[in-house]
Amino acid sequence: MYTQGLNAADKAPPAIEDAGRLGAFQARIDAEQKIEPNDWMPEAYRRTLIRQIAQHAHSEIVGMLPEGNWITRAPSLRRKAALLAKVQDEGGHGLYLYAAAETLGVARETLVEQLLSGGAKYSSIFNYPTLTWADIGAIGWLVDGAAIMNQIPLCRCSYGPYARAMIRVCKEESFHQRQGYEIMTVLARGTTAQRAMAQDALDRWWWPCLMMFGPPDGESQHSDASTRWKIKRFSNDELRQKFVDATVPQGHYLGLSFPDPALRFDEATSHWHYGAIDWDEFRAVLRGDGPCNRDRLAARNRAHENGAWVREAALAFAEKRRRKAAA
Amino acid sequence: MTLTPLWEVFVRSRNGLAHKHVGSLHAADATLALAAARDLFTRRNEAMSVWVVPSNAITASDPDDAAMLFEPAESKIYRHPSFYEVPDDVGHM
């Protein structure tokens, strides 16, 4: 999902930790107790959470870019106000998440540096371009729909600050998916050209959205520990299936078709069966070779550099006032 | 790397309850912290009032002391009204 980069193995040497404390920690997790910032926790738990929450935060921040692309060209004031509010929400969600990561003892500035230098991962989905207005509908409906699928179980994650951030995010995000589907509905009921635009957006976003859930179960190297620690409640494939089952009828309702000839409803399992996902494309995008990777990082770096004087001036002014008050 | 101070944010909702901790943020000074808190935590009409407190001004109890501090209250059920028996005929008390 927003933390697909976790599927790479943790390279740090395992810490030597007291078996008694480890056992007591796991017992607390098993009893569904929340772990809080000052509680003792295994180093690997701390490291996994820092990486996961940071990747999640980076995804929110980079996720502002594809949609920001259409703010000035939204087709009406109503659409523009909604899109502005949505992009502002994504920025807020990034900040909630950086704050949750900081409770684990890492500075937000360090995490931002990692993103800007290209050392950190963010969700593969934000490396695809938004070519038409229909893409804004498809992102809200599909990308936010997939994100919500993933984030609802994270509200019950064992780490208190992450779970609380997710509760806020989920509460605010329910409008994102609805506004996207509304855009798709209007286009699907519009002129032939508008219908074609909606179909084209679905054709381009469908497979990248299925990739958002990460590699198939069995290839994911982080799942076991994350499941044991109750950071992850459902497997990648389980969440992907839930998303497909929820989304396919919504697409059919709009009279749109999915770009998957193998897609069919399986009466026996009551699930929608989908075709093979192109994992080579997924790995290429994660590696940095997607359609927009370089562009996204360049935009973030530009914004960070252009804002440097504001940060410096604010700190200098605070320091000046402190000195004045002390004198 | 510029490090800005950390602030804890408390919000009082419209229904008159006490200020409640909602999260934390970075800001150079108290004025900017308030402005950021308003943008970050009250976009949907959540607040009548906002407090920001420098995080390092908060003294917290040690989780290792939790048992010593809070367990004694568990055995003192006589501090709750339901511990006491009042005849049914007396009615609501």
Side-chain angles (χ1 to χ4, degrees):
Chain A
M1 179 48 62
Y2 282 6
T3 52
Q4 298 146 327
L6 281 182
N7 295 302
D10 187 345
K11 289 183 195 74
I16 295 160
E17 285 165 329
D18 178 67
R21 292 196 111 169
L22 282 171
F25 176 82
Q26 189 60 47
R28 289 190 60 193
I29 301 260
D30 293 342
E32 296 287 339
Q33 286 184 21
K34 293 283 183 233
I35 307 301
E36 295 295 339
N38 293 329
D39 295 346
W40 184 86
M41 61 185 85
E43 261 320 292
Y45 179 81
R46 183 185 300 275
R47 269 202 313 270
T48 300
L49 273 170
I50 289 176
R51 289 211 307 163
Q52 170 158 347
I53 301 171
Q55 286 181 21
H56 200 156
H58 299 331
S59 298
E60 298 282 356
I61 299 298
V62 178
M64 296 166 82
L65 297 171
E67 290 178 294
N69 181 35
W70 279 91
I71 288 174
T72 56
R73 292 175 288 162
S76 70
L77 194 55
R78 183 179 190 272
R79 295 284 183 228
K80 183 185 277 198
L83 188 55
L84 265 173
K86 180 175 188 294
V87 172
Q88 195 186 8
D89 275 352
E90 317 289 7
H93 298 171
L95 293 180
Y96 302 155
L97 286 159
Y98 283 129
E102 284 197 308
T103 63
L104 292 157
V106 60
R108 185 177 80 190
E109 285 81 353
T110 306
L111 300 175
V112 171
E113 290 294 328
Q114 288 168 359
L115 171 67
L116 296 177
S117 67
K121 301 274 185 227
Y122 56 86
S123 178
S124 58
I125 197 73
F126 301 117
N127 291 313
Y128 290 87
T130 42
L131 303 178
T132 74
W133 172 252
D135 288 12
I136 300 305
I139 287 181
W141 172 36
L142 301 172
V143 175
D144 288 277
I148 290 167
M149 238 8 132
N150 180 56
Q151 287 172 168
I152 284 176
L154 282 174
C155 295
R156 293 188 293 127
C157 155
S158 61
Y159 188 58
Y162 192 26
R164 290 192 288 272
M166 280 298 105
I167 290 169
R168 284 193 74 89
V169 168
C170 286
K171 222 190 249 173
E172 297 185 353
E173 209 148 72
S174 58
F175 108 73
H176 296 183
Q177 191 185 16
R178 289 173 65 103
Q179 69 90 34
Y181 193 70
E182 191 190 85
I183 291 172
M184 294 302 274
T185 310
V186 170
L187 292 174
R189 290 174 182 162
T191 63
T192 314
Q194 285 174 319
R195 291 187 57 81
M197 206 167 149
Q199 183 61 57
D200 166 63
L202 174 55
D203 289 347
R204 282 182 291 108
W205 288 93
W206 178 246
W207 289 111
C209 280
L210 294 192
M211 293 174 199
M212 283 177 71
F213 295 92
D217 301 352
E219 275 181 39
S220 176
Q221 300 182 40
H222 256 265
S223 287
D224 290 349
S226 287
T227 305
R228 188 156 36 83
W229 287 328
K230 297 193 195 285
I231 296 172
K232 201 179 167 99
R233 300 260 177 182
F234 296 98
S235 75
N236 293 352
D237 285 336
E238 282 170 334
L239 288 170
R240 188 165 15 244
Q241 186 65 57
K242 270 182 192 233
F243 172 73
V244 172
D245 289 343
T247 310
V248 170
Q250 295 166 354
H252 289 161
Y253 176 83
L254 296 175
L256 300 175
S257 61
F258 288 82
D260 178 0
L263 189 71
R264 60 174 174 79
F265 189 70
D266 186 338
E267 297 282 355
T269 61
S270 291
H271 289 302
W272 283 90
H273 172 87
Y274 52 90
I277 295 172
D278 181 0
W279 294 113
D280 288 340
E281 176 182 326
F282 171 74
R283 280 185 287 269
V285 176
L286 262 200
R287 202 169 55 227
D289 296 328
C292 298
N293 295 56
R294 275 169 279 275
D295 192 50
R296 299 289 185 240
L297 267 194
R300 280 314 311 154
N301 273 291
R302 217 161 38 237
H304 192 72
E305 285 157 21
N306 290 343
W309 71 271
V310 179
R311 295 190 294 276
E312 286 160 16
L315 281 170
F317 183 65
E319 179 57 26
K320 188 174 106 181
R321 287 219 298 198
R322 199 164 28 244
R323 272 204 303 268
K324 232 181 207 167
Chain B
M1 201 196 308
T2 357
L3 290 166
T4 47
L6 189 64
W7 303 76
E8 300 302 321
V9 182
F10 299 80
V11 160
R12 181 166 66 215
S13 59
R14 304 199 155 258
N15 54 20
L17 296 177
H19 283 79
K20 188 175 173 235
H21 183 242
V22 289
S24 50
L25 54 80
H26 287 272
D29 61 25
T31 311
L32 289 173
L34 261 188
R38 177 259 191 197
D39 285 349
L40 193 53
F41 293 106
T42 70
R43 286 197 304 279
R44 287 175 175 77
N45 218 9
E46 290 98 334
M48 283 290 284
S49 161
V50 182
W51 290 349
V52 289
V53 179
S55 302
N56 58 18
I58 292 177
T59 307
S61 64
D62 187 333
D64 289 342
D65 293 340
M68 177 186 80
L69 291 172
F70 307 119
E71 261 177 29
E74 283 174 17
S75 57
K76 299 183 176 50
I77 50 172
Y78 47 83
R79 286 180 173 157
H80 298 277
S82 54
F83 180 76
Y84 300 93
E85 283 180 26
V86 173
D88 288 347
D89 299 342
V90 176
H92 177 73
M93 183 179 283

